Amino acid sequence: MSVTELFDRAAGRSRMDRTTIRRPDDFHVHLRDGAMLQAVLPFTAAQFARGIIMPNVVPPVTTVAAAIAYRERILAARPQASDFIPLMTCYLTDATAPDEIENGFKDGVWAAAKLYPAGATTNAHHGVTDIPGLAPVFERMEKIGMPVLIHGESTDPEVDIFDREAVFMEQSMLPLLKRHEGLKVVIEHVTTAETLELVRAHARHAAATITPHHLVINRTSLFQGGLRPHLYCLPVAKRERHRLALRQAATSGEACFFIGTDTAPHRRTAKEAECCSAGVFGGATALQTYVQVFDEEGALDRFEAFASENGARFYGLELNRGTITLERREATVMAAVAVEDTEVVVFQGGQTLPWSIGEVSP
Ligand code: DOR
Ligand code: ZN
């Protein structure tokens, strides 16, 4: 067993005050580009060995050549001595060619492809308008064992924003899972109890990422004492019963659930605006938040599976070799990260969190 347990025996307490786990991966991260990339990458690289990099930059990463160039920019932006490995994804459009997918996967450039329903979220306007129409792409991915990562929300403007995930699951996800029974599907940033059940029912070829913020906030948090733009993301947080179901799923040890922070930085000026951009910057506090949830749920012994094993196994990646230690040591988190002439507000920033990051051994 690779979890190190250090019990405070002298004090007669049986609680675990530190846990050492295999180094984790973030299976859903937005690093952006340029000055923003420089500003946020150090936080993800300090916590995770590898990251599945979202392709919704401007312009979106739709070709192998663009992915190679973006990967180079990420590698160049890493802090000195960082060994962080970016794993690239292909932004699917109605025009994606099966050969572009297969060539990039076989060459080790693509780790997965990302499906945004057109217009569903930030920079998703080049996304897919006809999901069944992509059947040739999915069939090829099925054949080569390449996962598709799905932003599961209906884009029908008539659909209530709190029902968009549920409607998508019914109208698009279920038919897709049935039509492509060998396709590896990651349902990204799940937010409802019903989606968790759908994942479980298809766990032979489906899995889900769970963000730190959806384990901590519910939809009421968005309006606590006033409108909280820095808690607004997509899919939007749901009712308390869903948050509790997400906490249960994440901490259950089930192999179909794993980390995907969906850390999605936006400048303060874009968040505190007439029309606030969707996204929570959870990259600086992700592991501290996740481990706190596992601690509160009495599930620290299952943290390593969720953080460092389930995702890699689903993707067919080798498990990381190094370790990271999380310690029960209070620390006040920085409120914001500077980017050019503005800043990005940190999720739980300014708060004192009970867990901190300790030693990392590569
Ligand atoms: O809140 C979100 N922000 N959800 C997404 O799906 C995209 C992300 C972003 O890129 O800002
Ligand atoms: Zn995302």
Side-chain angles (χ1 to χ4, degrees):
M1 187 162 108
S2 60
V3 177
T4 303
E5 299 180 4
L6 226 118
F7 294 99
D8 192 351
R9 294 200 179 104
R13 286 178 288 139
S14 62
R15 70 176 193 176
M16 213 194 274
D17 281 333
R18 97 186 14 221
T19 179
T20 298
I21 60 168
R22 190 187 288 281
R23 282 177 79 194
D25 300 308
D26 185 350
F27 284 91
H28 186 132
V29 45
H30 298 269
L31 291 178
R32 315 299 192 203
D33 221 333
M36 183 67 92
L37 169 63
Q38 291 285 345
V40 301
L41 175 59
F43 297 97
T44 291
Q47 303 214 345
F48 298 100
R50 296 173 293 198
I52 290 283
I53 312 302
M54 289 298 121
N56 63 333
V57 286
V58 184
V61 181
T62 55
T63 64
V64 175
I68 292 171
Y70 185 31
R71 184 171 64 186
E72 286 304 315
R73 296 197 295 281
I74 296 169
L75 291 171
R78 291 184 304 183
Q80 239 182 353
S82 169
D83 60 356
F84 176 76
I85 297 173
L87 301 170
M88 311 311 289
T89 59
C90 178
Y91 184 118
L92 294 175
T93 71
D94 289 332
T96 300
D99 284 348
E100 189 74 10
I101 291 287
E102 177 163 1
N103 295 340
F105 186 67
K106 294 211 159 142
D107 288 348
V109 179
W110 304 131
K114 176 72 189 262
L115 192 161
Y116 290 106
T121 186
T122 308
N123 294 329
H125 42 282
H126 299 289
V128 176
T129 64
D130 173 22
I131 296 176
L134 272 189
V137 169
F138 298 139
E139 280 159 18
R140 189 71 69 87
M141 292 176 73
E142 199 167 339
K143 203 171 114 206
I144 62 180
M146 178 173 166
V148 62
L149 322 178
I150 302 188
H151 182 111
E153 287 195 286
S154 168
T155 53
D156 180 347
E158 300 283 299
V159 174
D160 188 285
I161 187 161
F162 293 101
D163 296 333
R164 285 184 187 172
E165 183 171 307
V167 169
F168 183 90
M169 293 306 146
E170 194 70 28
Q171 294 184 347
S172 303
M173 193 68 84
L174 257 179
L176 180 82
L177 289 168
K178 286 193 177 134
R179 207 176 308 124
H180 303 278
E181 290 201 322
L183 180 64
K184 290 195 208 182
V185 177
V186 183
I187 306 182
E188 298 286 7
H189 39 54
V190 283
T191 63
T192 80
E194 291 72 25
T195 305
L196 295 168
E197 285 310 315
L198 182 112
V199 174
R200 289 180 170 118
H202 295 83
R204 203 181 45 73
H205 68 121
T209 52
I210 302 179
T211 76
H213 44 283
H214 289 115
L215 295 171
V216 173
I217 63 167
N218 62 26
R219 67 187 203 171
T220 299
S221 315
L222 288 166
F223 305 100
Q224 205 74 62
L227 188 59
R228 301 284 176 176
H230 299 286
L231 299 182
Y232 171 61
C233 65
L234 288 171
V236 71
K238 307 296 192 298
R239 287 180 183 277
E240 179 64 358
R241 78 172 175 91
H242 297 292
R243 185 183 75 93
L244 296 177
L246 291 168
R247 288 171 74 100
Q248 193 279 327
T251 59
S252 67
E254 290 165 275
C256 56
F257 301 121
F258 47 86
I259 285 186
T261 65
D262 197 15
T263 179
H266 289 278
R267 289 166 165 77
R268 184 189 277 281
T269 42
K271 295 293 286 178
E272 298 174 9
E274 191 175 355
C275 186
C276 158
S277 299
V280 168
F281 175 53
T285 49
L287 287 179
Q288 300 93 309
T289 305
Y290 282 125
V291 75
Q292 182 182 348
V293 170
F294 276 74
D295 183 25
E296 288 165 357
E297 299 293 329
L300 282 176
D301 58 331
R302 293 196 278 271
F303 185 49
E304 185 173 44
F306 177 75
S308 318
E309 295 173 352
N310 296 347
R313 291 206 172 105
F314 187 83
Y315 271 73
L317 299 169
E318 268 185 42
L319 300 188
N320 295 315
R321 291 212 182 82
T323 60
I324 188 167
T325 299
L326 288 312
E327 301 168 350
R328 192 189 303 278
R329 172 167 49 82
E330 282 192 354
T332 303
V333 176
M334 61 165 61
V337 174
V339 184
E340 292 176 321
D341 57 348
T342 177
E343 57 187 8
V344 177
V345 171
V346 172
F347 178 57
Q348 320 228 73
Q351 296 182 35
T352 300
L353 300 181
W355 287 80
S356 300
I357 294 187
E359 198 185 332
V360 181
S361 314

